[in-house]
Amino acid sequence: MKILMNTGGIAATNSFLVADEVEKKAVIFDAPDHTTSPLLDAAQKEGWEIIGLWLTHGHFDHVADHELIRSRYPAVKVLIHKLDEPKLHKHGASFSLPIRIPPANADGYVEDGEKLKLGRYEFEVIHTPGHAPGHVMYYSAAEKVLIGGDLIIGGAVGRTDLPDSSYDDLVRSIRRVMKLPGDTKLLPGHGEISTLDEERENNPYVQEAVE
């Protein structure tokens, strides 16, 4: 498994490209504005086919580059949890944005416990509401990799002061995720890559949630 990361856009959001180098298949996880182009260039250079844009949730800073990805890889499948799909249709309604994000349609929905294939690798969808009702994480048990979105973000957690967010749901989601193996690598929506053990040791919000 090859993992590439780029950070950018209005909210300094992380985008990840995960590839099966043998089968030449790759997926983009989240698409911040002005951020995914270098990942697409890397995929093209390596001869990897981008088969999906798998979204952790629908907030603008995680979906803004969707049109760019589709323009370069028309067959890409955009996946999101059904509870967050409405956000794809109304970007800018809750925020005053200096960028234009065209409306998007999902090609499919992900559900809790669903298994997704990326070449030889398998990711399990974990529904982790709180920051957003349709927030999900993508977990590869074999590779001990968790693409985490905005649940746990490098010493902090996702905000819960938004109209459809819930602190209680966030706490329940954190407790669930922290039951995974501690050496699982966490690829967050913001901040640096860490492990669940590191977050347990250093993140006061996680510590409070799991007490």
Side-chain angles (χ1 to χ4, degrees):
M1 179 181 287
K2 181 73 171 182
I3 300 173
L4 304 179
M5 169 183 171
N6 197 36
T7 304
I10 297 171
T13 305
N14 296 330
S15 180
F16 297 97
L17 180 151
V18 179
D20 180 334
E21 298 170 283
V22 174
E23 296 198 6
K24 300 290 186 179
K25 305 290 186 182
V27 165
I28 299 285
F29 292 87
D30 289 345
D33 61 285
H34 303 93
T35 301
T36 60
S37 184
L39 299 177
L40 300 177
D41 291 343
Q44 184 175 14
K45 181 179 179 181
E46 297 291 339
W48 300 334
E49 178 190 1
I50 305 292
I51 63 170
L53 169 59
W54 297 355
L55 299 169
T56 59
H57 59 299
H59 289 157
F60 75 89
D61 58 315
H62 292 258
V63 306
D65 262 2
H66 74 86
E67 190 173 61
L68 172 64
I69 297 171
R70 275 181 158 151
S71 70
R72 293 182 60 174
Y73 291 88
V76 74
K77 300 298 183 184
V78 177
L79 303 182
I80 193 170
H81 193 281
K82 192 170 186 176
L83 291 177
D84 255 38
E85 189 196 21
K87 295 182 177 65
L88 299 182
H89 306 305
K90 57 179 183 178
H91 295 304
S94 301
F95 301 90
S96 178
L97 299 175
I99 58 172
R100 174 185 171 272
I101 305 175
N105 292 309
D107 296 300
Y109 302 124
V110 293
E111 298 181 356
D112 188 58
E114 183 177 357
K115 304 295 176 61
L116 302 175
K117 297 293 289 186
L118 169 53
R120 298 166 298 155
Y121 303 111
E122 183 176 84
F123 283 88
E124 179 183 353
V125 178
I126 305 176
H127 184 210
T128 50
H131 178 62
H135 190 287
V136 300
M137 304 170 89
Y138 299 90
Y139 175 53
S140 171
E143 299 297 314
K144 293 187 177 180
V145 168
L146 180 66
I147 290 97
D150 285 0
L151 181 69
I152 302 170
I153 46 177
V157 295
R159 58 190 290 189
T160 55
D161 60 339
L162 301 171
D164 62 354
S165 62
S166 165
Y167 177 76
D168 289 341
D169 285 346
L170 186 87
V171 168
R172 282 190 286 269
S173 294
I174 291 172
R175 288 174 178 169
R176 180 182 180 189
V177 166
M178 294 305 292
K179 293 177 182 178
L180 298 175
D183 58 348
T184 298
K185 183 182 294 185
L186 175 65
L187 281 55
H190 304 270
E192 300 298 324
I193 294 173
S194 64
T195 67
L196 294 183
D197 274 344
E198 289 171 343
E199 295 299 327
R200 187 186 300 274
E201 182 176 347
N202 301 311
N203 189 326
Y205 302 95
V206 169
Q207 293 168 354
E208 181 178 353
V210 298
E211 282 182 349

